[in-house]
Amino acid sequence: MQIYFDERQQQHSPKAFLLRGKVVDSPERPERAEAFLAALAQGKHPVSAPTDHGEDPIHAVHDPGYLHFLRSGHRSWSAEPGASPEITPNIHPNRHMATKPSGMIGVVGWYTADTACPVGANTWEGAYWSAQTALSAADHLVETGQTALALCRPPGHHAYHDMAGGFCFLNNAAIAAQRLRQVHDRVAILDVDVHHGNGTQGIFYDRSDVLTVSLHGDPSVFYPWYAGYAEETGQGAGADCNLNIPLPRGTGDQEFLDALPDAFDKIRAFDPGAVIVALGLDGSEQDPLQFFQITTEGFRRMGAAIAGLPYPIMIEQEGGYPSPILGDNLRAFVEGFEDARAG
Amino acid sequence: MQIYFDERQQQHSPKAFLLRGKVVDSPERPERAEAFLAALAQGKHPVSAPTDHGEDPIHAVHDPGYLHFLRSGHRSWSAEPGASPEITPNIHPNRHMATKPSGMIGVVGWYTADTACPVGANTWEGAYWSAQTALSAADHLVETGQTALALCRPPGHHAYHDMAGGFCFLNNAAIAAQRLRQVHDRVAILDVDVHHGNGTQGIFYDRSDVLTVSLHGDPSVFYPWYAGYAEETGQGAGADCNLNIPLPRGTGDQEFLDALPDAFDKIRAFDPGAVIVALGLDGSEQDPLQFFQITTEGFRRMGAAIAGLPYPIMIEQEGGYPSPILGDNLRAFVEGFEDARAG
């Protein structure tokens, strides 16, 4: 399987985030990509740098004011007296007050969902190349019909069209889907990260041309808390074009695999021209986030099951955080997928 | 002037809040009340403990679920692995996702507006007695017709009916206004804190019986950022019953005093039975927050000007943070008020 990755993605290297009231080290570190690359190298997967598609495909999904914030916000932030090295919000608009302000602290809260998406001096550079990586995997699928894997880092599925969140800035899956829409009338995104793909859902929530399906930890007790419920099925033209399958804490291999057929049925009924798999590995039994209990063998079976979908598929990396088996889990998923497609 | 204060208010002693990405010491410390009491003692103002009015007057303003969170949330929070000593949010509902979750981290974000309202083990106790202090000053006004000062701490004007924010938990001014409504058809609240009284505005925004008027730093560049704009004038039955007067950074004595007549005109046109002054001293030239440049003499003139309103008035303390002249500013306001009423 062809892999896309750009070393410039590693320029985004977030240091801190606020967890249960304490500033802790961010787990969304460059070493994640290093672990993925080392594991894939063992499988002799070729790794290519992406083509530079410029900003147009990013603008096709994201809000101009938000992109301006991502690109230039860090300079304004750094001019605030006593500002931390990374942009971190301390207040957001809410159900009682929602006028957009001009001052930097207010702007930060406007364009971020939480304290887990610190914007540093090089975040734009990293996020830009992460998006290019997804676009190149989409190109590969269009041009060869073969599956490619975009080693996106930072990840993307919590980013709304105008809001960062949960380690995500540009929604790589959505940007790739928009690219694939140039050649397919309908595109489906299947998100198997342990967290709900809330940003992706939000971007396509009122559209009928992109189906969004997500299996994830029950949001009533897990990030992103305020979206990801089964009742959210799309609206307007997008009615019935979103499927959420929340799963309980402790979900293991078999429970997860047993939930996949409902997702597959939804995708088959939609009959897309292509499928994007938003692959999170943070459901691992050894992931520091500790919600699901999926084994390395479970990821292999997951890859094999998804490979059975009768559509062109591209894979793009979402979450999955440092553990001794992080790379093994990616390789297992990829091998499971490849073996099934070859079989 | 009669002062109300209860030592139990001091049990709320917040340690930390997140400011520009850094955890810093909270300025809303018990020493604020000590500075106020020491300054007022020089003026020989009698200080009494409040009467306990129970929870009914608090329930008359606040949401039951929110009160449950304030009372018992700290126990649930402390059970989360690695939780900080004080409840601090890291995510909130937003314009894209707003389903109410059951898990503690999500509940915290539901009931708080920002990272400046840490809830500790004794926050409920302190906020409860702060509200009782306001209620006793309202009683004093009803029973004697004379002005009393409620030395509320924690302050209240950023608290919505179901949301803490900006050092505030229970909205003392709103609770006192609801009490005064038992004897007056109409009550006005005049908020002169450097920050917009967003919670107070929100509580009465659709009501015609309580006029809310606030002079404050321009929210487009200052806390609370997302409310406090001149365009916000009330809604429904409360249409035209809210007046915001945003003032620029650097506003000094004369500029502030020049803005008061518009507030007074609004109050006179409303013809309330009583007026509550939500007195913030954080517009001081020496306040650590540094937005307005009001001098001690300016607070004296402010007190005198407000005393000219031909209505029964009670005063309740909002913001104002440690500086060498914090107590002086309160005494100057009180003396200016008293001299004008005596003259």
Side-chain angles (χ1 to χ4, degrees):
Chain A
M1 187 183 299
Q2 174 68 45
I3 314 296
Y4 287 97
F5 177 71
D6 196 298
E7 272 299 328
R8 286 170 282 194
Q9 295 172 228
Q10 303 289 62
Q11 293 189 33
H12 171 67
S13 178
K15 303 304 177 212
F17 83 114
L18 191 72
L19 181 68
R20 301 189 185 100
K22 292 180 183 168
V23 176
V24 300
D25 291 344
S26 173
E28 206 292 280
R29 297 194 290 267
E31 69 190 73
R32 294 179 63 232
E34 293 162 14
F36 293 145
L37 288 165
L40 292 167
Q42 293 177 42
K44 310 247 187 305
H45 297 282
V47 179
S48 299
T51 305
D52 188 353
H53 299 70
E55 291 193 15
D56 285 354
I58 297 171
H59 277 277
V61 163
H62 287 287
D63 173 78
Y66 172 62
L67 294 177
H68 178 75
F69 164 75
L70 285 183
R71 258 194 312 258
S72 65
H74 191 262
R75 280 198 301 279
S76 308
W77 172 264
S78 301
E80 294 280 331
S84 63
E86 300 173 318
I87 298 178
T88 307
N90 53 264
I91 185 170
H92 305 273
N94 62 49
R95 59 189 175 272
H96 297 303
M97 53 179 191
T99 298
K100 188 175 177 184
S102 58
M104 190 59 197
I105 307 290
V107 167
V108 167
W110 189 268
Y111 286 129
T112 58
D114 52 54
T115 53
C117 48
V119 177
N122 300 317
T123 293
W124 172 255
E125 181 86 353
Y128 177 88
W129 288 106
S130 190
Q132 300 301 330
T133 290
L135 285 163
S136 287
D139 287 348
H140 185 92
L141 186 67
V142 169
E143 291 159 11
T144 70
Q146 298 299 305
T147 297
L149 166 66
L151 218 50
C152 294
R153 180 197 162 264
H157 72 149
H158 298 309
Y160 286 89
H161 81 284
D162 64 352
M163 196 180 269
F167 311 141
C168 299
F169 305 92
L170 299 177
N171 194 309
N172 306 305
I175 290 167
Q178 195 67 27
R179 160 76 182 97
L180 291 174
R181 277 284 291 105
Q182 294 174 351
V183 291
H184 300 291
D185 289 340
R186 291 178 306 287
V187 174
I189 300 174
L190 172 61
D191 191 321
V192 296
D193 189 281
V194 74
H195 303 101
H196 175 233
N198 56 320
T200 317
Q201 168 178 306
I203 287 169
F204 297 113
Y205 205 58
D206 57 2
R207 285 172 55 171
S208 61
D209 58 333
V210 179
L211 173 71
T212 44
V213 177
S214 180
L215 300 96
H216 49 262
D218 178 359
S220 72
V221 293
F222 196 50
Y223 187 94
W225 304 99
Y226 310 109
Y229 296 87
E231 296 72 24
E232 298 157 14
T233 56
Q235 69 185 11
D240 209 29
C241 292
N242 185 74
L243 175 63
N244 286 327
I245 303 179
L247 298 167
R249 185 183 294 275
T251 287
D253 293 352
Q254 198 55 50
E255 294 91 332
F256 194 93
L257 292 163
D258 286 348
L260 278 173
D262 283 349
F264 294 166
D265 286 348
K266 185 79 180 171
I267 292 169
R268 284 198 198 89
F270 187 73
D271 192 29
V275 173
I276 298 170
V277 177
L279 174 61
L281 300 161
D282 37 10
S284 165
E285 59 182 342
Q286 291 193 32
D287 194 273
L289 300 186
Q290 284 294 305
F291 196 86
F292 288 167
Q293 293 291 325
I294 297 174
T295 68
T296 300
E297 180 59 22
F299 283 111
R300 183 182 309 272
R301 293 168 66 195
M302 193 190 303
I306 291 171
L309 281 169
Y311 307 102
I313 294 178
M314 71 163 268
I315 304 168
E316 64 89 29
Q317 186 64 47
E318 296 289 353
Y321 302 97
S323 84
I325 58 171
L326 175 60
D328 297 339
N329 289 339
L330 178 59
R331 197 173 71 242
F333 182 96
V334 167
E335 288 175 358
F337 184 96
E338 287 185 320
D339 290 348
R341 285 246 152 163
Chain B
M1 188 183 297
Q2 175 68 46
I3 313 298
Y4 288 97
F5 178 71
D6 196 299
E7 273 298 327
R8 284 168 283 193
Q9 295 171 230
Q10 302 290 64
Q11 293 189 33
H12 171 65
S13 178
K15 303 303 177 215
F17 82 114
L18 191 73
L19 181 68
R20 300 188 186 100
K22 292 180 183 169
V23 176
V24 300
D25 291 343
S26 173
E28 206 292 282
R29 297 193 290 267
E31 69 191 73
R32 294 179 63 233
E34 292 162 13
F36 292 145
L37 288 166
L40 292 167
Q42 294 177 39
K44 313 250 189 300
H45 297 282
V47 179
S48 298
T51 305
D52 188 353
H53 299 71
E55 291 194 15
D56 285 354
I58 298 171
H59 278 277
V61 163
H62 288 287
D63 173 80
Y66 173 61
L67 294 177
H68 178 75
F69 164 75
L70 285 184
R71 259 194 311 257
S72 65
H74 191 263
R75 278 198 301 278
S76 309
W77 172 263
S78 301
E80 294 279 331
S84 62
E86 298 172 319
I87 297 178
T88 307
N90 52 265
I91 186 169
H92 304 272
N94 62 50
R95 60 190 174 272
H96 297 303
M97 53 179 191
T99 298
K100 188 175 178 185
S102 57
M104 191 59 199
I105 306 293
V107 167
V108 167
W110 189 268
Y111 286 129
T112 59
D114 52 53
T115 53
C117 48
V119 177
N122 300 316
T123 293
W124 171 255
E125 181 86 352
Y128 177 87
W129 288 105
S130 190
Q132 300 301 331
T133 290
L135 285 163
S136 288
D139 286 348
H140 185 92
L141 186 67
V142 168
E143 290 161 10
T144 70
Q146 299 299 305
T147 297
L149 167 66
L151 217 50
C152 294
R153 173 186 176 271
H157 72 149
H158 297 309
Y160 286 89
H161 81 283
D162 63 353
M163 195 180 270
F167 310 142
C168 299
F169 305 92
L170 298 178
N171 195 309
N172 306 304
I175 290 166
Q178 195 66 29
R179 160 75 182 96
L180 291 175
R181 277 283 292 104
Q182 294 175 352
V183 291
H184 299 292
D185 289 341
R186 291 178 307 287
V187 173
I189 299 174
L190 172 61
D191 190 320
V192 296
D193 189 281
V194 74
H195 303 101
H196 175 233
N198 56 320
T200 317
Q201 168 178 307
I203 287 168
F204 297 113
Y205 205 58
D206 59 1
R207 284 172 54 171
S208 61
D209 58 334
V210 179
L211 173 71
T212 45
V213 176
S214 180
L215 300 96
H216 49 261
D218 178 359
S220 71
V221 293
F222 196 51
Y223 187 95
W225 305 100
Y226 310 108
Y229 296 87
E231 295 73 24
E232 299 157 13
T233 56
Q235 69 183 12
D240 209 31
C241 292
N242 185 75
L243 174 64
N244 286 328
I245 303 180
L247 297 167
R249 187 182 294 274
T251 288
D253 293 352
Q254 198 55 52
E255 294 92 333
F256 194 94
L257 292 163
D258 287 348
L260 278 174
D262 283 350
F264 294 165
D265 287 349
K266 186 76 180 174
I267 292 169
R268 283 199 198 89
F270 186 73
D271 192 29
V275 174
I276 297 170
V277 177
L279 173 63
L281 299 161
D282 37 10
S284 166
E285 59 181 342
Q286 291 193 33
D287 193 274
L289 299 186
Q290 284 293 304
F291 196 85
F292 288 168
Q293 294 290 323
I294 297 174
T295 68
T296 300
E297 181 58 21
F299 283 111
R300 184 182 308 273
R301 293 167 65 194
M302 194 192 300
I306 291 170
L309 282 169
Y311 307 103
I313 294 178
M314 69 163 269
I315 304 169
E316 64 91 26
Q317 187 64 46
E318 294 290 352
Y321 302 98
S323 85
I325 59 170
L326 176 60
D328 297 341
N329 289 339
L330 177 58
R331 198 173 70 241
F333 182 94
V334 167
E335 289 176 357
F337 184 94
E338 287 186 322
D339 291 349
R341 286 244 151 164

